[in-house]
Amino acid sequence: MMSNIPQELIIEILARLPVKSLVRFLCVSKEWYALITDSDFIKLHLKSSIETNRDRTLILNEDEFSPPLRYFSAVQFSKDNQFGKTFEIYKPLQNWVISDYCDGLVCLHRGYEKLEVAIWNPLVRKYRKLPIEPIEEPSCFSSCIRFSHLAFGHDPRNDDYKVLRVTEFYMTDSMEFEVKVYSMRSNSWKKIDEQWPNKEICCQKLLALNGDVYWLAADRVVQDLESILAFNFATEKLRLYGTPVPPDNDQFTCLDVLGGFLCYIVNDYLNSDVYLMKKNGVESSWTQVFKIKQHVVCRDFEYFRTLMFSTNGKKVLLEEHQECGHTNLIWYDIEKKRCNRVRNRSFPYVFMVATCIGSLLLLDGDNVIDPRQKKNKGKRKRN
């Protein structure tokens, strides 16, 4: 029967299916295995997932003080913007923390002196450990304070997934950077010799979007002069952008991604103003999309992150962090200026969210680890 169906139609049908079904179909035949693991089909399926928001899933990284840290998955029901009951998902690497995510892949890390990084696809349950790359401390910065930041994203020009690692070294009155980029295509790290400006990173995390990595930076000479730095994965060059509004000492600012756009959030005691860069890399395209009055969200909230728009684009999902440490998910209605808290007793008390889409990336290939195969090998050895 299958021989009577054109190959193009089979590919089109399969590309519309969720990841869970396609993983099961790997066992149908050698032909289907070859088709589903083919790089062109994986790209086609990913494009379809992005366009349709299929398999949209929240990965909740439990953020308690004592390990082991757990991961939970919550699937969004597209019609009413509700989430199903969360369930704990298999975690192949214990006590690793989510640092970033892109196209259904999640970047994990652990360690300080020896920073380890891995890329994980939670839906196909496979991961790749990156080769350990030593942090090279500048010769004149012995016994200095240092901080490492990671960002993970897609380089569309070279069709490659990359990790940016920026390490800051601090002495009393001086600062140095070490910058390295990992390529999944070459499975290797590369040191970047680009001259970095004398600006310290002043945000919790770096953000990868459309081939660039963004972060807020503060000038060490002119105090309180905040700007946005962007590193391009393809050119390996830096660009400097201005913020949509001048920063104020009494305000807390942060960067995020919302609806595929760079998002700048300004928080003060009364309001939170949210701006989007509507044209990638065009500073004049900053547009204020909504304002949230603090009492509408919660009187004791510390800060929030923007996660995603609802299916009709009229609401935005917020990750709210309260001063007491509790985390909530909130749907904010942009037109009605009202909030509805997502009430789900299965959510952990404190968590960080990674939004994932259905992706077959890491389904097959070199240096990809399948924990289930490792378990089976261990059982055979014991027998």
Side-chain angles (χ1 to χ4, degrees), residues 1-13 32:
M1 174 179 162
M2 295 301 296
S3 61
N4 298 325
I5 302 176
Q7 181 78 353
E8 295 78 10
L9 182 57
I10 293 176
I11 292 174
E12 185 177 341
I13 293 172
W32 276 38

Side-chain angles (χ1 to χ4, degrees), residues 102-103 105-107 117-121 126-131 152-155 158-164 181-190 233 360-369:
C102 175
D103 291 348
L105 298 178
V106 179
C107 182
V117 186
I119 307 300
W120 172 48
N121 186 328
K126 294 184 180 182
Y127 67 94
R128 174 193 284 191
K129 271 190 175 183
L130 278 56
F152 171 66
H154 183 238
D155 174 1
N158 299 300
D159 192 20
D160 193 5
Y161 289 88
K162 296 181 177 180
V163 175
L164 174 70
V181 173
Y182 167 82
S183 161
M184 286 190 69
R185 185 180 291 276
S186 66
N187 192 34
S188 62
W189 290 89
K190 175 184 178 182
F233 274 133
L360 294 168
L361 294 167
L362 288 188
L363 183 61
D364 199 8
D366 297 333
N367 306 304
V368 173
I369 301 172

